[in-house]
Amino acid sequence: MLLYMKLIDFIKKCRTLTSSVKLRACLLAIKDYAFFASPYPVVITFEDHITPSLQGKVAKMLVDTFGDMLFYPENPHQMREFPSPERLKKKILISTKPPESYESQDQRILEEYRDKSRVNYKDDEDDEDDEDDTPEYRDLISIRAGKPKGKFTQRNLLRIYPKGTRLDSSNYDPMIGWMHGAQMVAFNMQGGGHYRRYMEGMFRANGGCGYVKKPNILLNVNDIFDPKAFRPVQTILQVLVYMGDGWRSDFSPTHFDFYSPPDFRVQIGIHGVPADRDMKYTRTIEDDWVPVWNEEFSFPLSTPELALLYIKVVERDFSGSGDFGGQTCLPVSQLRQGIRAVRLRNRKGELYKSVRLLIQFHFLTNTL
């Protein structure tokens, strides 16, 4: 498969610390907002464990809610090539394990799953209408979960996700999955942290549509890419951090310090394959709302196709702790050479109105 996909892991597992929600309400919300940011297809992942009697109700609910928006192949076993995102614009895809693949369980276990599931599959308004014209539940599953063998991510979609034992909203490093070819890396979107920044940075590529082409190094069926293997430097990214501005407009005069202007420094680094990872820091400019660093850094990159540039501004104080002054993460493959005004974002990933850094990017091809 040629793409990384920004995954919405929508219907949660049972026995997790999440509040109960009605399935119909979830589906209606998806219908209203699925294509607000992009026309490209939305994948809904079910982890359902529902009984055969409920499968028909869920199928009818999906068809009634989405109608022609719902994509499912008429003959899934005869489909040799999965349609491209371009062909699937404005389509909803269901991903789950087909019912026939479930392990046999007695009725007691099935009922326990049904009672404790965090999704309410029975809506108060459900009726007993004839469902003969509704496709079977298994027929609506366009991405069928399983454990295929052979060529792995070359011909199959691989989905990874945080451990179910996590009690908070923390995340793992998404680069672990990407550099091994995983197309679908599920995330706890309610959590923050630098791992989420990397995820956001990766999907700023390709216009932010939620789909990013996998690099060619991961598509060679005759040469399996090993992210830990030695590779010669392909290019050197030179980053000149010149100055910053905009904090005086977006923050109160006493936000960073009560009695003096802030003391800013810039943290800038590369996140990618292990050999390319690096973090550097400018000096701290004291008592200045418009700091000028004029410092240049070099990052040798063996795999620039997977590299992300992470930038963070911190305000330093005498206590040793640092106040957050903005951040952004950008795919190295999307950087354009020259002097750029790089806008920074808050902890939620939202752009500040005025805060930005003036940075020059330059690439040197390794000739050794």
Side-chain angles (χ1 to χ4, degrees), residues 199-216:
M199 184 278 296
E200 293 170 342
M202 165 68 82
F203 287 100
R204 289 199 177 101
N206 200 23
C209 71
Y211 290 82
V212 176
K213 185 180 182 300
K214 289 172 67 172
N216 291 333

Side-chain angles (χ1 to χ4, degrees), residues 263-328:
D263 308 323
F264 287 127
R265 82 166 181 175
V266 180
Q267 172 183 337
I268 186 166
I270 293 292
H271 191 67
V273 298
D276 292 347
R277 296 180 186 181
D278 195 4
M279 190 65 69
K280 302 178 186 295
Y281 303 86
T282 67
R283 68 188 187 281
T284 299
I285 303 297
E286 297 183 356
D287 300 334
D288 203 331
W289 283 102
V290 187
V292 177
W293 296 279
N294 199 23
E295 295 185 47
E296 187 174 64
F297 305 97
S298 294
F299 297 97
L301 301 176
S302 64
T303 315
E305 304 95 324
L306 287 170
L308 300 171
L309 180 69
Y310 180 67
I311 302 171
K312 182 179 179 180
V313 175
V314 176
E315 198 276 335
R316 307 277 292 180
D317 57 31
F318 291 107
S319 67
S321 61
D323 290 328
F324 179 82
Q327 60 81 26
T328 192

Side-chain angles (χ1 to χ4, degrees), residues 134-168:
T134 303
E136 289 190 28
Y137 178 69
R138 66 169 60 90
D139 295 334
L140 299 180
I141 303 171
S142 54
I143 300 179
R144 302 190 165 208
K147 296 181 180 180
K149 297 180 180 180
K151 296 186 178 179
F152 295 101
T153 61
Q154 298 285 348
R155 297 191 57 83
N156 302 289
L157 290 173
L158 175 62
R159 170 182 174 265
I160 63 175
Y161 44 89
K163 287 184 178 180
T165 55
R166 295 192 183 204
L167 299 180
D168 57 12

Side-chain angles (χ1 to χ4, degrees), residues 67-129:
D68 292 339
M69 296 169 62
L70 192 64
F71 169 80
Y72 54 95
E74 293 184 2
N75 297 302
H77 298 291
Q78 298 180 8
M79 186 172 61
R80 296 181 177 273
E81 184 176 299
F82 203 80
S84 68
E86 188 70 23
R87 289 175 56 192
L88 292 175
K89 280 185 175 179
K90 297 293 184 74
K91 294 293 183 180
I92 302 287
L93 284 68
I94 304 301
S95 171
T96 189
K97 186 182 297 184
E100 63 267 23
S101 298
Y102 291 143
E103 296 179 0
S104 59
Q105 302 175 87
D106 59 28
Q107 188 64 28
R108 182 184 62 81
I109 298 297
L110 287 172
E111 290 301 327
E112 179 183 354
Y113 274 129
R114 179 180 175 183
D115 295 340
K116 294 184 178 181
S117 175
R118 297 312 181 192
V119 178
N120 186 349
Y121 288 95
K122 181 173 177 57
D123 193 279
D124 294 336
E125 299 178 358
D126 283 349
D127 53 35
E128 301 297 329
D129 290 344

